[in-house]
């Protein structure tokens, strides 16, 4: 693997780990304070309703303390002073804006919102969970955390989280109004009377059948493949790689996946459990986590299963479309998971995609270059 200065493995004692942690936590602290100041513009209404303010203030205080401590440590190590200074500056800015005792700002009737709170919380939870898993049992030991394209994929992570308002608008407003004709009160009443675990299982199976159908269509219909190719252009798998999705892809797939739950009128708790599980599994299956999960790998989608989907080796093309249950691929004849091997290479076969998030957004809309004339 070719690594430049920014992608070198992080080593203890050289100040980069503490420097990045200081800047990262300092940035998140400033953003969190802004969420307190402008809740209607910067937080997600459905999440906001469940927040415990004292827990969030404690989390913010801890973020600022660690940001300052890591900044000072970076200075003490006498390396990466710019990172240390930036981390301390960000912590001071968060304190200046009110820190963990900042007042909750006035309420506005905002026409829309940016999901900054969702970005902060999911980044913290995902980074802590998946970096730990990838360090404890890595699949590729020589792959650093800041592997090539890590910062490129983190831009997708930021964009897809901040745009949650658009995704929610489509799934919570547009879908119900478009599919209101499919609602049957008797069916919904019966489904809601089922135990939560049964509802969860039905949501999981029906959502994955929809995922299978849309995902397979994206591989087999050339015009749709150009959108999905953005996701497959990932050449190094880790927890951040799954974020690389063309902006329009999650709009379509999330709508399709949530449709059965809407028609069935699923209760809130099983639906929420499904959303949390789906989010966790999406991070897990892309991660550089080498555990093969024994016989469990035949039951639920694991990194081994989805890494094969991303493989560019000949045997890995157009297989393993399911997001949760490999048995769906077995039923439709697209299952491929050798028990003891991982794919050698990842990425798209043929023309490489352009680099850069905006070029990749435009890529599906550009006409393909004409084939060279026959010689
Ligand atoms: Zn795919
Ligand atoms: Zn994927």
């Amino acid at each position: 693997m070719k690594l430049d200065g920014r992608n070198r493995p992080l080593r203890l004692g050289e100040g980069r780990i503490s420097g990045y942690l200081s800047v990262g936590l300092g940035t998140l602290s400033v953003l969190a304070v802004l969420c307190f100041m402008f809740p209607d513009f910067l937080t997600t209404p459905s999440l906001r309703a469940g927040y415990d303010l004292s827990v969030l203030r404690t989390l913010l205080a801890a973020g600022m303390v660690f940001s300052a401590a890591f900044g000072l440590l970076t200075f003490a190590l006498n390396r990466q002073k710019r990172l240390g200074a930036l981390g301390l500056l960000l912590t001071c800015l968060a304190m200046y804006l009110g820190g963990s005792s900042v007042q909750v700002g006035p309420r506005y009737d905002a026409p829309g919102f940016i999901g900054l709170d969702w970005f902060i919380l999911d980044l913290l939870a995902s980074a802590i969970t998946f970096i730990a898993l990838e360090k404890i049992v890595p699949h590729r030991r020589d792959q650093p955390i800041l592997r090539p394209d890590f910062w490129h994929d983190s831009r997708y992570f930021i964009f897809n989280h901040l745009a949650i308002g658009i995704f929610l608008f489509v799934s919570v407003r547009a879908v119900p109004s478009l599919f209101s004709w499919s609602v049957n009160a008797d069916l919904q009443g019966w489904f809601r009377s089922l135990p939560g675990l049964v509802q969860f299982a039905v949501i999981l199976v029906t959502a994955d059948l929809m995922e299978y159908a849309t995902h397979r269509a994206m591989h087999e219909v050339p015009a749709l493949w150009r959108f999905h190719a953005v996701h497959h252009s990932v050449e190094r798998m880790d927890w951040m790689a799954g974020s690389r999705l063309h902006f329009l892809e999650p709009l379509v797939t999330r709508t399709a996946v949530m449709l059965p739950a809407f028609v069935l009128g699923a209760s809130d708790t099983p639906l929420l459990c499904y959303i949390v599980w789906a989010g966790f599994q999406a991070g897990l299956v892309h991660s550089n986590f080498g555990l093969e999960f024994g016989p469990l790998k035949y039951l639920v989608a694991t990194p081994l299963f989805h890494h094969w989907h991303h493989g560019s080796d000949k045997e890995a093309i157009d297989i393993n479309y399911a997001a949760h249950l490999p048995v769906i691929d077995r039923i439709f004849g697209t299952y491929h998971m050798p028990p003891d091997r991982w794919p050698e290479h990842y990425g798209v076969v043929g023309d490489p995609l352009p680099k850069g998030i905006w070029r990749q957004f435009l890529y599906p809309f550009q006409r393909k270059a004409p084939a060279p004339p026959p010689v």
Side-chain angles (χ1 to χ4, degrees):
M1 191 183 302
K2 232 178 107 196
L3 302 171
D4 64 20
R6 283 195 333 156
N7 304 123
R8 271 185 302 118
L10 298 167
R11 292 191 205 292
L12 282 177
E14 63 174 17
R16 283 170 76 220
I17 298 176
S18 55
Y20 282 128
L21 281 171
S22 178
V23 172
L25 290 170
T27 306
L28 292 184
S29 300
V30 172
L31 297 179
V33 173
L34 292 174
C35 284
F36 275 95
M37 293 168 75
F38 306 104
D40 283 332
F41 294 109
L42 300 179
T43 66
T44 313
S46 46
L47 294 178
R48 201 190 303 147
Y51 284 150
D52 181 332
L53 276 187
S54 61
V55 172
L56 292 182
R57 286 186 191 282
T58 309
L59 208 60
L60 173 54
M64 289 166 56
V65 168
F66 280 109
S67 171
F70 284 126
L72 291 172
L73 177 64
T74 312
F75 265 99
L77 291 169
N78 206 22
R79 305 262 186 91
Q80 306 290 336
K81 284 189 175 167
R82 267 193 224 167
L83 281 178
L86 185 58
L88 287 172
L89 202 70
L90 287 162
T91 314
C92 290
L93 179 61
M95 279 165 62
Y96 174 76
L97 292 172
S100 59
S101 49
V102 62
Q103 293 291 311
V104 176
R107 309 304 302 269
Y108 299 96
D109 196 11
F113 64 93
I114 295 170
L116 199 53
D117 55 338
W118 169 230
F119 163 71
I120 297 169
L121 295 173
D122 198 32
L123 179 60
L124 275 176
S126 300
I128 291 169
T129 310
F130 293 122
I131 290 176
L133 292 179
E134 290 180 352
K135 285 289 144 196
I136 295 166
V137 189
H139 162 49
R140 295 204 165 173
R141 284 180 188 279
D142 61 340
Q143 180 170 296
I145 297 172
L146 302 178
R147 42 93 186 163
D149 285 345
F150 179 87
W151 297 114
H152 172 68
D153 291 336
S154 63
R155 280 181 208 120
Y156 274 99
F157 185 93
I158 295 169
F159 186 87
N160 287 336
H161 281 73
L162 297 188
I164 188 177
I166 300 170
F167 300 133
L168 283 177
F169 176 80
V170 170
S171 57
V172 178
R173 296 260 180 90
V175 172
S177 58
L178 265 176
F179 289 89
S180 54
W181 54 268
S182 64
V183 171
N184 179 301
D186 291 338
L187 172 73
Q188 295 199 338
W190 169 77
F191 189 72
R192 268 199 284 267
S193 71
L194 295 173
L197 204 60
V198 177
Q199 288 193 48
F200 174 80
V202 174
I203 297 169
L204 190 76
V205 172
T206 52
D208 212 14
L209 284 169
M210 294 298 277
E211 167 72 30
Y212 183 92
T214 47
H215 193 175
R216 190 164 174 176
M218 282 189 280
H219 277 251
E220 294 185 358
V221 179
L224 299 180
W225 165 251
R226 290 176 71 77
F227 289 90
H228 190 52
V230 171
H231 184 58
H232 277 271
S233 66
V234 166
E235 290 175 350
R236 290 163 196 88
M237 297 287 278
D238 70 357
W239 65 282
M240 189 60 92
S243 302
R244 196 187 298 182
L245 289 165
H246 189 280
F247 173 60
L248 293 177
E249 186 182 325
L251 274 184
V252 174
T253 46
R254 284 180 206 180
T255 302
V257 159
M258 297 311 290
L259 197 56
F262 165 72
V263 173
L264 292 168
S267 307
D268 289 347
T269 308
L271 190 59
L272 188 69
C273 289
Y274 169 73
I275 291 169
V276 171
W277 172 250
F280 171 74
Q281 204 175 13
L284 180 73
V285 296
H286 291 96
S287 68
N288 185 33
F289 183 40
L291 192 73
E292 293 185 1
F293 289 91
L296 206 63
K297 65 175 175 281
Y298 301 111
L299 207 64
V300 292
T302 57
L304 179 63
F305 178 80
H306 196 65
H307 277 227
W308 272 108
H309 177 71
H310 277 266
S312 58
D313 313 344
K314 203 169 175 209
E315 61 181 314
I317 305 301
D318 295 344
I319 51 157
N320 298 1
Y321 295 114
H324 310 303
L325 305 164
V327 69
I328 296 178
D329 278 285
R330 276 184 185 273
I331 292 168
F332 293 107
T334 48
Y335 175 85
H336 180 76
M337 189 170 63
D340 52 352
R341 282 190 298 122
W342 294 66
E344 291 284 326
H345 304 102
Y346 305 104
V348 287
V349 180
D351 295 341
L353 264 73
K355 293 278 180 194
I357 189 167
W358 295 111
R359 286 206 191 103
Q360 292 188 345
F361 276 165
L362 292 176
Y363 170 75
F365 304 106
Q366 289 165 341
R367 265 201 289 165
K368 272 185 92 170
V375 183

